[in-house]
Amino acid sequence: MASAGPDPERDSDEDEDDEGEEEEEETPFLPPPACLRARGSVSAEAFGEWNQRAAFQPLVYPKTQEQMDELTMNLSGSFLFNALDSKDLQTVILAMKGPLVLEPGMRIITEGASGDHLYVVADGAMDCMKVINGLETVVKTCFRGDLFGELALLYNCPRAASVVCREVATLWELDRETFNGIVMEAVQRKRAQCSSVLRRVPLFQGLSVTLLENIIDALKVETHPQGATIIEQGADGNEFFIVYEGQVVASRSVPEQPEPITFVHEAGDYFGELSLLRDEPRAATVVTATNVQLLSMDRATFKRLMGPAEEFLEREASRYN
């Protein structure tokens, strides 16, 4: 097992000369929102007659079957990797360096710096921090199965946040070359498909292209068989769901009525927002009527990205009455 030093990303930069390292250290922090506003596509890298794409040969870091299975499970639930076929997914997993072990307080990503790797958390906790009003503030904590650092690879922009180890953590690291060589094309295709679905939903029609792209990138993909219970009435709610494929049925029991009130949610519809908007228990039980594919978003991401749509969501809540 490899042990990470104070700056694991430096391992991949050993071929750079000292002058290049000094220039990188002196690069002033850039405000992350600017790079997000400026992007015009998923990838800013262009290839043509003057800029030939080199033959790509992914790195291979041998892993145990247990490590392969765990990474397969974690990555399959990520929007970025869900579009890959099994062969490409296995190639990506084999190309991941690690496991890297970080001690509490170690900083693996610095806000505003350039970035050439994304990371998957195998164990432990990593705090994502942004400078807000002059102070570093934790905006999200990544736990086992979460990934971070992907935005810099997707958009060729500076790091949007710093990431610091909260407790002893184990990470897997994927390099930009493998990401561009295998993942990027599938991401572009999947994002286009997802965007076309969401743009037909009134909730998303008024959102800017940039905000919609940020939302799509934050979504996780879940697959459930017919008859599976997604949420239960009265339980705590920490996720927001969008039906991507299939159909689910929501039922709400009320004291004054013998039969529960039911709602059908089909592809393009959403549910689970009331608990996150109002900090209340789940208002209904939702069960899959067919095999379904859902897009989900956790509470912290919902609060961060869906702010512009909260008024619409509150207004549309009357549909449940």
Side-chain angles (χ1 to χ4, degrees):
M1 179 175 291
S3 179
D7 187 1
E9 288 194 338
R10 196 172 294 170
D11 293 343
S12 301
D13 300 326
E14 291 177 352
D15 293 335
E16 295 182 4
D17 57 29
D18 293 339
E19 180 181 349
E21 291 180 357
E22 290 175 0
E23 289 177 356
E24 183 175 350
E25 292 174 356
E26 294 173 359
T27 301
F29 287 177
L30 302 175
C35 82
L36 294 179
R37 287 196 303 269
R39 74 174 185 259
S41 64
V42 174
S43 174
E45 297 191 38
F47 297 92
E49 185 176 347
W50 59 275
N51 183 24
Q52 295 294 323
R53 186 192 295 271
F56 174 68
Q57 185 63 40
L59 299 171
V60 175
Y61 295 97
K63 296 173 177 64
T64 66
Q65 189 59 52
E66 182 180 358
Q67 291 170 335
M68 292 289 294
D69 292 344
E70 182 177 9
L71 283 167
T72 298
M73 180 180 65
N74 291 338
L75 296 184
S76 296
S78 165
F79 178 84
L80 292 179
F81 298 98
N82 181 261
L84 297 177
D85 60 33
S86 58
K87 181 180 178 181
D88 283 343
L89 182 60
Q90 184 178 46
T91 300
V92 169
I93 290 173
L94 287 172
M96 287 188 164
K97 181 181 178 180
L100 305 175
V101 180
L102 275 67
E103 299 295 329
M106 292 176 64
R107 182 180 300 257
I108 194 168
I109 288 178
T110 298
E111 181 178 355
S114 60
D116 291 313
H117 303 89
L118 67 77
Y119 300 89
V120 178
V121 182
D123 202 7
M126 304 291 295
D127 283 334
C128 302
M129 311 174 73
K130 291 181 67 68
V131 176
I132 301 175
N133 296 326
L135 297 175
E136 274 199 329
T137 305
V138 176
V139 294
K140 179 181 180 181
T141 300
C142 294
F143 297 100
R144 183 173 184 173
D146 290 335
L147 61 88
F148 62 88
E150 73 281 8
L151 293 182
L153 275 61
L154 274 171
Y155 307 124
N156 283 326
C157 67
R159 293 297 195 184
S162 296
V163 182
V164 179
C165 184
R166 171 186 287 192
E167 57 188 49
V168 177
T170 305
L171 309 178
W172 294 97
E173 176 186 85
L174 182 68
D175 63 281
R176 178 185 291 274
E177 289 72 25
T178 302
F179 185 86
N180 285 346
I182 298 179
V183 182
M184 186 67 79
E185 183 178 349
V187 169
Q188 291 174 320
R189 183 171 59 251
K190 189 75 171 181
R191 289 174 85 254
Q193 294 172 351
C194 189
S195 180
S196 67
V197 171
L198 297 186
R199 279 298 183 194
R200 297 196 294 268
V201 182
L203 168 63
F204 300 102
Q205 288 174 356
L207 302 183
S208 67
V209 172
T210 297
L211 181 54
L212 183 61
E213 289 177 350
N214 288 340
I215 290 171
I216 290 172
D217 293 338
L219 294 170
K220 292 185 177 181
V221 181
E222 300 183 16
T223 302
H224 298 278
Q226 181 179 4
T229 299
I230 309 302
I231 61 177
E232 291 191 35
Q233 184 173 347
D236 293 334
N238 291 302
E239 289 180 302
F240 167 68
F241 298 91
I242 300 166
V243 182
Y244 192 65
E245 292 180 359
Q247 186 181 83
V248 302
V249 176
S251 58
R252 180 162 62 94
S253 298
V254 291
E256 63 273 14
Q257 296 189 24
E259 297 294 328
I261 301 173
T262 59
F263 318 88
V264 176
H265 298 299
E266 299 181 323
D269 208 349
Y270 57 88
F271 62 92
E273 77 283 5
L274 295 184
S275 288
L276 306 188
L277 286 171
R278 302 172 180 177
D279 291 321
E280 297 175 349
R282 293 297 195 188
T285 295
V286 177
V287 178
T288 59
T290 64
N291 294 336
V292 301
Q293 192 170 53
L294 303 176
L295 305 177
S296 66
M297 183 187 301
D298 61 38
R299 176 184 291 272
T301 306
F302 180 88
K303 291 292 186 181
R304 177 167 55 88
L305 294 178
M306 297 300 290
E310 283 195 8
E311 183 178 344
F312 177 92
L313 289 168
E314 283 285 8
R315 186 170 64 249
E316 290 297 304
S318 60
R319 64 183 180 147
Y320 299 119
N321 296 332

